């Protein structure tokens, strides 16, 4: 077992966490006598997303609510290929405490981080556990896994924030475009997740339903909708709901089947294209996209009457239904989500700073979330 020196913190450097772990296996079950909810929420992060051999990793968490303390811990599996070719994980470091951040009394917001010594060896899979305690001793926790050190299967999706079985999660694999260096691409991944995706509550609040991976094998995206797959595309789509090609150039982006493209540093494109790729949302702007009404929980309707009939369920007045038009052009489809400064991400408001998903889009997103929570993220789309 590793020992980590904890600057500024006294006492136990390494300890098994009996209050967190009912056993030393993974994933860590919650003891049944501790309620699942606390007056605190915790968000865990780490950087870099995929540390190299022995590269230092910063583990961090922030809790809010009524927070007494935070405990950060990890366990490490070694990854190996069995003689028969199967991929194996072997627990080599049981649950190991990194740091306990324990201010006097309770606080409304508590950050906690730790960068233990020399990092991790090649072929490691780290499972990070952040547990916040409220004043009653109840816990809120977050756990996920990421690769550390050289990854033994570089053609496969490399986990950077993985919560569980791909069948029960939305799986996004980021790959570099040919216009970006591998170094820039890798360094940007922290921001892609934590600044761009997690800016949106509908993703941040449900982040445990997502698995994020990357691959260094480049693909290419050219306007408009011309994708060149990476050589390992077949390996990626084994788990990917979408393979996201991230580029530096300013391009009109696209989703095509299990591919999407986006600028690497622009949340609006990333979230808009993810809306297509993960939730099969339709564009709500006119007039040069392809349009159709989804067979169920649509965000676009092929008649005014159909839009109006759906309005009450969405909490909108029927009068909000508007045909898609632009200047003198129009198409025979209707939207209900708002436009304007805080309008819908899938429509003309996409590039506005305050844009987010409208209720029609959110309804469709929630349906898929419910299916994932029920253990069936595939197939999509079909109707309830
Ligand atoms: Zn679009």
């Amino acid at each position: 077992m590793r020992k980590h020196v904890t600057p500024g913190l006294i006492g136990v450097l390494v300890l098994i966490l009996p209050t967190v772990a009912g056993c030393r296996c993974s994933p860590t079950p919650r003891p049944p006598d501790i309620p699942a909810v606390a007056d605190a929420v915790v968000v865990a992060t780490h950087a870099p997303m995929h540390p190299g051999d022995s590269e230092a990793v910063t583990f961090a968490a922030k809790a809010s609510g009524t927070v007494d303390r935070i405990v950060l811990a990890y366990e490490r599996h070694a990854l190996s290929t069995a003689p028969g070719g199967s991929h194996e994980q072997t627990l080599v470091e049981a649950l190991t405490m990194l740091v306990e951040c324990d201010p006097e009394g309770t606080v409304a917001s508590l950050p906690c981080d730790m960068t233990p010594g020399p990092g991790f060896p090649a072929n490691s899979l780290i499972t990070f556990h952040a547990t916040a305690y409220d004043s009653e001793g109840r816990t809120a926790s977050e756990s996920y896994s990421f690769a550390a050190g050289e990854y033994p299967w570089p053609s496969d999706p490399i986990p950077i924030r993985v919560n569980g079985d791909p069948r029960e999660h939305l799986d996004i694999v980021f790959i570099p475009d040919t216009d970006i260096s591998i170094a820039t691409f890798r360094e940007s991944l922290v921001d892609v997740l934590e600044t761009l995706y997690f800016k949106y509550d509908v993703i941040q609040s449900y982040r445990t339903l997502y698995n994020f991976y990357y691959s260094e094998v480049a693909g290419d995206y050219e306007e408009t909708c011309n994708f060149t797959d990476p050589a390992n595309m077949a390996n990626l789509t084994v788990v990917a709901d979408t393979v996201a090609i991230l580029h530096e150039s300013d391009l009109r982006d696209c989703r095509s089947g299990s591919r999407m493209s986006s600028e690497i540093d622009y949340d609006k494109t990333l979230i808009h294209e993810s809306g297509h790729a993960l939730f099969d949302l339709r564009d709500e702007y006119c007039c040069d996209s392809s349009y159709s009404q989804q067979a169920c929980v649509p965000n676009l309707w092929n008649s005014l009457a159909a839009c109006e009939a759906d309005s009450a369920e969405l909490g909108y007045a029927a009068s909000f239904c508007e045909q898609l038009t632009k200047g003198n052009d129009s198409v025979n489809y209707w939207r209900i989500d708002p436009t304007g400064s805080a309008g819908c991400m899938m429509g003309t408001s996409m590039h506005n700073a305050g844009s987010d998903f409208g209720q029609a889009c959110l309804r469709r997103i929630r349906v898929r979330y419910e299916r994932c929570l029920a253990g069936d993220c595939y197939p999509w789309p079909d109707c309830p």
Side-chain angles (χ1 to χ4, degrees), residues 252-255 269 272-273 275-276 281-285 289-290 345-347 350:
R252 181 172 179 186
D253 283 293
C254 185
R255 173 267 181 123
T269 305
H272 177 101
E273 298 302 336
H276 288 308
L281 294 171
R282 299 291 187 262
D283 282 318
E284 298 181 6
Y285 61 80
S289 181
S290 60
M345 174 70 67
M346 301 310 291
M350 172 186 166

Side-chain angles (χ1 to χ4, degrees), residues 136-203:
E136 305 292 319
R138 297 174 298 187
T139 61
S141 62
E142 174 156 47
S143 301
Y144 62 84
S145 298
F146 61 94
E150 186 179 354
Y151 196 62
W153 311 297
S155 293
D156 289 351
I158 300 173
I160 53 177
R161 190 181 179 106
V162 165
N163 284 290
D165 189 329
R167 288 169 297 190
E168 300 169 1
H169 293 80
L170 296 162
D171 299 276
I172 303 175
V173 181
F174 302 112
I175 67 168
D177 192 273
T178 51
D179 81 343
I180 193 170
S181 75
I182 297 296
T184 300
F185 168 74
R186 284 183 57 150
E187 286 165 10
S188 300
L189 291 174
V190 168
D191 276 345
V192 168
L193 263 65
E194 295 172 16
T195 307
L196 306 186
Y197 271 107
F198 292 174
K199 174 180 175 180
Y200 294 88
D201 187 61
V202 72
I203 297 173

Side-chain angles (χ1 to χ4, degrees), residues 282-287 289-294 298-304 306-307 321-325 329-336:
R282 299 291 187 262
D283 282 318
E284 298 181 6
Y285 61 80
C286 204
C287 304
S289 181
S290 60
Y291 302 97
S292 63
Q293 178 181 329
Q294 298 99 326
N299 71 310
L300 193 68
W301 293 266
N302 56 19
S303 73
L304 176 61
C307 179
C321 291
E322 285 189 11
Q323 189 170 7
L324 298 196
T325 58
D329 293 336
S330 65
V331 292
N332 285 324
Y333 288 93
W334 281 257
R335 60 153 179 82
I336 197 166

Side-chain angles (χ1 to χ4, degrees), residues 10-321:
I10 52 163
V12 182
L13 301 179
V14 175
L15 89 115
I16 305 303
L17 294 170
T19 57
V20 177
C23 69
R24 297 183 190 182
C25 51
S26 176
T28 307
R30 185 188 302 277
D33 58 335
I34 296 180
V37 289
D39 292 332
V41 293
V42 63
V43 179
T45 58
H46 74 281
M49 281 284 119
H50 178 198
D53 292 353
S54 302
E55 183 178 2
V57 187
T58 296
F59 294 85
K62 186 172 184 182
S64 54
T66 306
V67 188
D68 178 66
R69 60 196 164 99
I70 298 176
V71 173
L72 307 184
Y74 75 92
E75 56 202 350
R76 184 170 73 89
H77 286 78
L79 304 174
S80 61
T81 305
S86 64
H87 294 180
E88 297 195 337
Q89 299 181 18
T90 307
L91 182 66
V92 290
E93 290 182 72
L95 197 64
T96 302
M97 184 177 179
L98 288 157
V99 65
E100 180 176 46
C101 297
D102 189 2
E104 201 167 317
T106 59
V107 294
S109 178
L110 180 62
C112 183
D113 67 82
M114 176 63 186
T115 306
F120 300 99
N123 308 319
S124 292
L125 184 73
I126 307 301
T127 301
F128 175 28
H129 303 274
T131 305
Y133 294 78
D134 71 8
S135 56
E136 305 292 319
R138 297 174 298 187
T139 61
S141 62
E142 174 156 47
S143 301
Y144 62 84
S145 298
F146 61 94
E150 186 179 354
Y151 196 62
W153 311 297
S155 293
D156 289 351
I158 300 173
I160 53 177
R161 190 181 179 106
V162 165
N163 284 290
D165 189 329
R167 288 169 297 190
E168 300 169 1
H169 293 80
L170 296 162
D171 299 276
I172 303 175
V173 181
F174 302 112
I175 67 168
D177 192 273
T178 51
D179 81 343
I180 193 170
S181 75
I182 297 296
T184 300
F185 168 74
R186 284 183 57 150
E187 286 165 10
S188 300
L189 291 174
V190 168
D191 276 345
V192 168
L193 263 65
E194 295 172 16
T195 307
L196 306 186
Y197 271 107
F198 292 174
K199 174 180 175 180
Y200 294 88
D201 187 61
V202 72
I203 297 173
Q204 202 264 6
S205 294
Y206 291 87
R207 63 194 180 281
T208 58
L209 287 180
Y210 289 77
N211 288 334
F212 294 100
Y213 313 79
Y214 84 107
S215 169
E216 289 190 355
V217 184
D220 187 36
Y221 175 74
E222 303 290 340
E223 288 181 337
T224 300
C225 276
N226 292 317
F227 288 87
T228 303
D229 288 339
N232 61 339
M233 186 68 172
N235 296 46
L236 305 184
T237 52
V238 169
V239 300
D241 288 272
T242 187
V243 174
I245 298 187
L246 303 180
H247 54 80
E248 285 191 313
S249 308
D250 188 6
L251 300 171
R252 181 172 179 186
D253 283 293
C254 185
R255 173 267 181 123
S256 175
S258 56
R259 309 159 189 83
M260 58 170 266
S261 67
S262 174
E263 281 106 32
I264 197 165
D265 58 355
Y266 184 46
D267 57 305
K268 300 301 180 184
T269 305
L270 196 64
I271 302 302
H272 177 101
E273 298 302 336
S274 295
H276 288 308
L278 299 177
F279 307 106
D280 203 35
L281 294 171
R282 299 291 187 262
D283 282 318
E284 298 181 6
Y285 61 80
C286 204
C287 304
D288 60 351
S289 181
S290 60
Y291 302 97
S292 63
Q293 178 181 329
Q294 298 99 326
C296 58
V297 285
N299 71 310
L300 193 68
W301 293 266
N302 56 19
S303 73
L304 176 61
C307 179
E308 290 177 340
D310 221 354
S311 60
E313 184 181 308
L314 293 166
Y316 290 136
S319 60
F320 285 18
C321 291

